[in-house]
Amino acid sequence: MKQKIIIATRGSRLALHQSQIVRNLLLKKFPGIVIDFLEVTTRGDIDQKTPLSDFGNTGVFVKGLEEKLLNGEADLAVHSLKDVPSDMHLELILASFPEREDVRDVLVTKDGVNWRRIKSGSIVGTSSPARKEQMKLLRPDLVFKDIRGNVDTRVEKVLRGDYDATILAAAGLKRLAYKIKDESYFSLDEMIPSPGQGALAIQVHKNNKKALEMVQKINAKFIEKQVKAERAFMAEIGGGCRYPVAAHAESYGEKYVFRAMAFKPDFEKIEKVKISVVEKELLKSAKMEAQNIISKYKLTH
């Protein structure tokens, strides 16, 4: 009998596409196995009205999948890494990071204009405090309103005129085959991405040794180093819970450019950092930059 692996996944078009990426990678390494999907509806999928910031650092798109791992209904779960909070269940492990798409953010409008050209007073929909605060630095004359829904839903809300624009990750748009105009991208200095943006994460129960061994075969070490630094910055700050954060580690051979941002809501100042470090200092430097911000603004967890 062929070995069977069950992947827990959300049922959105993007989530299923990402899980299919992981399925195909595993089948290339282990052509004799059978892989099935277990579609899970999460709290974030059910509640489409509550602003994401009101949920706090609860992993609103993650917990339902984690339950399937904990009770043994699934062998692994595929997440967009930026959705995974820093405080996970102790029995679960982020065991593999097999792919990373374009990490940049994109301004989605009907006519694909650059952020510089969007009309003053335009309504921009975003559920991300970090994106909102960075966009306010660029264009304080815009109006910001919360927006919910998956990628397709948010794009449709812009096309039908509910919003003049929204900000989405290029990774999701590209995976769903949306065409993106060159001028619609934000540079990494203009809009630092969320920690882990564009990366896929495979989560496994620590006692599921076979699944752990399998997903390690499709892990990309250089991506793992990037995202661990980004998530270390987030964990130190306490981001996603009390303070909006962004972080990205960009690799150039053995050197990295690390960009990060943290913002205390009752301050008007956004603290941005940009440093160049060698690979062996990346993780340590990310934590150190977070500690510097914590000390400067007296942040508390």
Side-chain angles (χ1 to χ4, degrees), residues 106-174:
V106 172
L107 185 70
V108 177
T109 63
K110 283 185 179 180
D111 48 3
V113 299
N114 183 274
W115 62 264
R116 295 179 178 86
R117 294 175 53 207
I118 191 171
K119 292 180 180 178
S120 181
S122 292
I123 298 173
V124 179
T126 178
S127 57
S128 164
R131 284 174 174 161
K132 175 183 174 182
E133 297 304 331
Q134 291 186 89
M135 188 65 174
K136 283 169 68 176
L137 284 180
L138 300 172
R139 290 292 304 271
D141 59 319
L142 301 178
V143 177
F144 298 90
K145 293 187 177 180
D146 198 75
I147 189 172
R148 289 294 312 279
N150 58 36
V151 171
D152 292 324
T153 299
R154 296 187 191 202
V155 171
E156 178 58 30
K157 287 180 178 181
V158 171
L159 294 179
R160 72 179 181 223
D162 296 350
Y163 301 82
D164 297 303
T166 188
I167 303 170
L168 294 173
L173 292 168
K174 287 186 172 184

Side-chain angles (χ1 to χ4, degrees), residues 233-249:
F233 178 89
M234 177 176 69
E236 290 289 322
I237 293 286
C241 182
R242 300 193 63 179
Y243 309 111
V245 299
H248 176 59

